Amino acid sequence: MGFVRGLSAAAFLTALPLALSLLAPLPAAAQNVTTLFQQWLRSDLWPEARARGISEATFNAAFAGVKPNLKLPDLVLPGESAPRSDKQHQAEFRQPSAYFAHIDGVVSGGRARARAYASTLAAIEHSFGVPRGIVLAIWGRESGFGRAEIPYSAFEVLGTKAFLATRKEMFRGEVLAALEMVEKRGIRPEAMRSSWAGAMGQPQFMPTSYLKYAVDFDGDGRADIWNSVPDTLASIANYLASHGWIQGRDWGFEVAVPQGVSCALEGPDRGRPIAEWVAMGIRRVSGKSFPEHELRGEGYLMMPAGRYGPAFIVTPNFYRLKDYNESDLYALFVGHGGDRIMYGDMHFAEGWKTVGGLSRADVAAMQRALERQGFDVGGADGLVGFKTRRSIGQWQQQAGMKPTCFPDRDLTARIR
């Protein structure tokens, strides 16, 4: 599972040139880091692995020939206090519409595979209660239905990050889980290919997720998320079901939001029965009524581009998709893509308007200014999540402006 906010495996691969542009250390420095890495493996990581039941043969096989990959992002080299590049905050803030540039390929590929694997998908849907369209959309988004190249050794990536990354403890847990996969699940180290973030196989699971959620659905005695389609699809469904997917509920509905309903009402902590949203004047864009059972259930306003794009009433299942990848746009891609795979070429009724001209550094500066004024933006990370969007809307309301709940160049200048 991709854990970098807003990025799947396909996006990881697209971002590789940025990752590889990090300043490389001098050869002598690299040699010194390699020596320190080997010392760390033997004196620090190996004792804990042994205490967890990992054999020396497994440990040695996993790290045979492995050197730290100093071109990976988010590394703090020995003697330094911060990552060597802050290019992610220099990057352009992407239009929300850009996230959907490749959805047609996922939809067409998903439809073909819905036919090819119909019986397997029916069995998975029966076992786990997750709609096949959702499972197919995740498979397509994460690994191009298994066609995306997954270029790295998991032990190279996870070992490097456990030794040097800003989140060492998180990656330490992941590399120990990867060793357990070899020791107790019979996975060969050389078969464990990953993205540059350490996410593995066609579902892009981190090792801890593999141990919890990977499923042997083809009955060969091993959960193979690299080569087995049934295991891949069942593992995705099991992940969502284990996180609380509610069988029988949709993920969400595109809606029209009257101007009298503030976009600042967005968020998973501001849910109410969908019937109450309807009473406020919110309507489905299709002209259809909400299903009766959905009217009784809780729903949440979700406006990923504020007033500059489509709006949605989403259900708790939308947030189960965010458990897979915490980006609102990722969850929307999967939900909308799954609908299109199963029900035809429905498109967003409301278009995505052009916004931007900002860098992530611009957005982060605006977020810090809002934090100084007491707003909870969810962290100054240069990304516009729901807390940032509604904080913008609240600031606009206090300033006597019509709330749009999304940054633009003029607004960021005014807030800063």
Side-chain angles (χ1 to χ4, degrees), residues 18-31:
L18 172 60
L20 296 177
S21 70
L22 296 173
L23 291 174
L26 295 174
Q31 185 175 1

Side-chain angles (χ1 to χ4, degrees), residues 362-374:
D362 293 328
V363 176
M366 178 201 67
Q367 290 170 320
R368 289 190 290 270
L370 286 167
E371 285 179 328
R372 289 193 294 271
Q373 297 177 49

Side-chain angles (χ1 to χ4, degrees), residues 153-187:
S153 157
F155 285 102
E156 175 190 306
V157 171
L158 297 170
T160 299
K161 287 181 172 283
F163 181 53
L164 294 172
T166 56
R167 292 183 288 175
K168 289 186 181 69
E169 288 306 311
M170 188 274 281
F171 282 105
R172 186 183 185 91
E174 295 297 344
V175 76
L176 289 165
L179 288 165
E180 185 175 338
M181 290 171 62
V182 178
E183 183 74 34
K184 300 178 181 179
R185 301 294 181 90
I187 309 298

Side-chain angles (χ1 to χ4, degrees), residues 129-131 245-251 253 291 293-294 315 317:
V130 180
W245 183 274
I246 302 172
Q247 188 171 358
R249 290 207 71 182
D250 210 314
W251 67 270
F253 307 87
H293 71 281
E294 295 285 8
T315 77
N317 283 340

